[in-house]
Amino acid sequence: MKSFSRELGKYNRIIIHYHNEITGYLIELAQVPSHKIIWMLWSGDLYNCPFYRGEVYLPLTYGTGDITLFKPLPLKLKLKEKVKEYLKRPGYYLYKRSFARIQTVGSFFPKDVQNAKDTFGVDFTHIFHGIVSVTEQLHNSVKEGLPILGDSILLGHAGVPELNHLDIIQRMGSFFGDKKIICPLAYGNPSYIEKVKTSGVAQFGDRFEALLDYMPREEYYQKLQKGSFAIFGAVIHQGFGNIMTLLYLGFKVFLFSWNPVYAQLKYLGLLLFPLENVDQNSFSVPLSQEEKVLNRKILDEVLSEQRIDNYYREVYLNPVIA
């Protein structure tokens, strides 16, 4: 890695996709000038890093023991990490210091950038950037026309505690009526997945369908079309590709209003619904044809192939100050 770090100095632009302990080590070892670095913030590289102190888990999920929780370093570990820093080896302190070296952050979600500013005390410059277009994300058959949807409720997209399934089931399950609940759990934390399955069956009986196996994309989209409603219990940016897909299919999507994804999509004009305001009427009426078309139109505009090309061009051509 040391030989690779020495090569970094010859480049005009260092673009980091998913900043972590190793990328932090490399830019610190190479002493890369701040103006050359752009951090493409995905989500987990902020919210699952050991320095983020904001809310991620709701109370029931927090109590499962299946969460990623970073506590302040105990004294013995602090000393060990300080030795790593002195010897210029990958570790906690070089990683933490590396965020101050970064000047620019690329993200589709301004609230993610603000959360990064608050976490690291750095006034990052934000370059608006989308990672993937609608065309890349979706299968051609999905884009051909609005599908006929079923009446089920989709709960999350994976078996990860950041989606707070247990809290959603307990706090809001009584509002789901007699609808079937489809819960994708094909990947994630096995212990947590078992808890979600147990809670789902206890609350909804045979109306709860856990999707435990990976499916080909076309088959997965066919399964999704059995629903009209989708709930994502994350309080952080999580699962945007899935949210994009569901909005494009015509789903009525519920997110917490303080979620960075909700904030940005509402700002762009898409029709979403605040999860904290769910009641017994929330799942009685799906989106109208006109509302579905509106969401599609906006996504086609802001995440078109041309827009994505322009976002990448801005990243690569943004002036580098010597």
Side-chain angles (χ1 to χ4, degrees):
M1 283 195 293
K2 289 184 178 180
S3 62
F4 175 71
S5 71
R6 288 192 288 269
E7 295 291 308
L8 296 181
K10 69 183 183 183
Y11 297 104
N12 289 330
R13 174 79 73 225
I14 306 296
I15 298 173
I16 300 174
H17 280 273
Y18 206 98
H19 191 43
N20 55 46
E21 188 175 289
I22 298 302
T23 55
Y25 165 73
L26 289 170
I27 63 173
E28 283 300 305
L29 194 64
Q31 296 288 287
V32 178
S34 295
H35 62 266
K36 291 188 174 185
I37 302 170
I38 298 179
W39 169 24
M40 308 306 293
L41 199 169
W42 283 74
S43 174
D45 44 349
L46 171 63
Y47 299 114
N48 289 329
C49 85
F51 316 111
Y52 183 72
R53 293 292 182 262
E55 181 185 43
V56 176
Y57 308 106
L58 298 180
L60 279 179
T61 301
Y62 189 92
T64 63
D66 298 319
I67 64 174
T68 301
L69 184 62
F70 295 100
K71 297 180 179 179
L73 295 180
L75 179 59
K76 187 175 181 179
L77 194 52
K78 278 185 179 180
L79 294 173
K80 183 178 179 180
E81 291 297 324
K82 278 294 183 182
V83 171
K84 288 182 183 178
E85 181 185 26
Y86 177 77
L87 296 175
K88 291 185 166 46
R89 294 176 180 170
Y92 181 91
Y93 289 106
L94 282 181
Y95 180 23
K96 186 174 184 179
R97 191 197 306 167
S98 71
F99 288 94
R101 183 172 295 279
I102 297 169
Q103 179 172 297
T104 305
V105 176
S107 176
F108 194 70
F109 304 101
K111 194 169 181 182
D112 280 347
V113 180
Q114 185 59 54
N115 287 341
K117 290 180 180 182
D118 294 342
T119 297
F120 300 107
V122 178
D123 189 19
F124 298 114
T125 298
H126 178 203
I127 291 183
F128 190 73
H129 181 74
I131 297 291
V132 63
S133 71
V134 169
T135 300
E136 290 175 288
Q137 173 68 24
L138 299 173
H139 194 278
N140 286 336
S141 63
V142 175
K143 292 181 93 304
E144 288 171 359
L146 284 167
I148 298 174
L149 299 177
D151 196 39
S152 299
I153 298 172
L154 185 78
L155 180 58
H157 69 282
V160 295
E162 287 79 9
L163 287 167
N164 294 299
H165 297 80
L166 304 180
D167 298 82
I168 301 305
I169 290 170
Q170 184 184 79
R171 287 167 51 179
M172 303 175 188
S174 61
F175 299 137
F176 297 171
D178 60 357
K179 294 188 180 332
K180 185 172 183 178
I181 313 302
I182 300 173
C183 189
L185 298 169
Y187 68 90
N189 181 313
S191 173
Y192 178 75
I193 288 171
E194 283 300 317
K195 291 182 177 70
V196 173
K197 285 168 52 184
T198 299
S199 179
V201 171
Q203 178 79 16
F204 307 114
D206 59 8
R207 292 188 292 114
F208 183 80
E209 181 183 5
L211 304 183
L212 300 174
D213 299 318
Y214 285 96
M215 299 179 183
R217 183 185 292 192
E218 180 69 22
E219 183 181 345
Y220 182 59
Y221 287 158
Q222 289 297 320
K223 174 65 75 170
L224 292 182
Q225 289 172 37
K226 292 184 177 181
S228 278
F229 309 91
I231 294 173
F232 291 84
V235 299
I236 58 171
H237 166 195
Q238 175 84 222
F240 175 59
N242 291 272
I243 293 167
M244 181 205 308
T245 297
L246 294 167
L247 287 168
Y248 207 87
L249 285 170
F251 272 64
K252 188 175 185 179
V253 175
F254 295 83
L255 291 162
F256 286 116
S257 61
W258 52 90
N259 183 302
V261 177
Y262 179 96
Q264 176 62 358
L265 294 185
K266 288 291 283 187
Y267 171 78
L268 293 171
L270 282 100
L271 187 63
L272 296 93
F273 297 85
L275 182 54
E276 65 271 22
N277 292 342
V278 160
D279 61 23
Q280 63 270 18
N281 299 314
S282 297
F283 306 100
S284 58
V285 180
L287 293 187
S288 68
Q289 195 78 354
E290 293 76 17
E291 290 168 334
K292 294 176 183 179
V293 169
L294 172 65
N295 279 349
R296 274 202 171 198
K297 181 176 182 290
I298 295 171
L299 288 173
D300 279 330
E301 288 174 356
V302 299
L303 290 171
S304 67
E305 289 284 314
Q306 185 59 56
R307 285 288 188 94
I308 294 295
D309 286 347
N310 290 342
Y311 297 149
Y312 276 99
R313 192 172 291 110
E314 172 66 16
V315 167
Y316 287 108
L317 300 182
N318 192 55
V320 177
I321 303 170

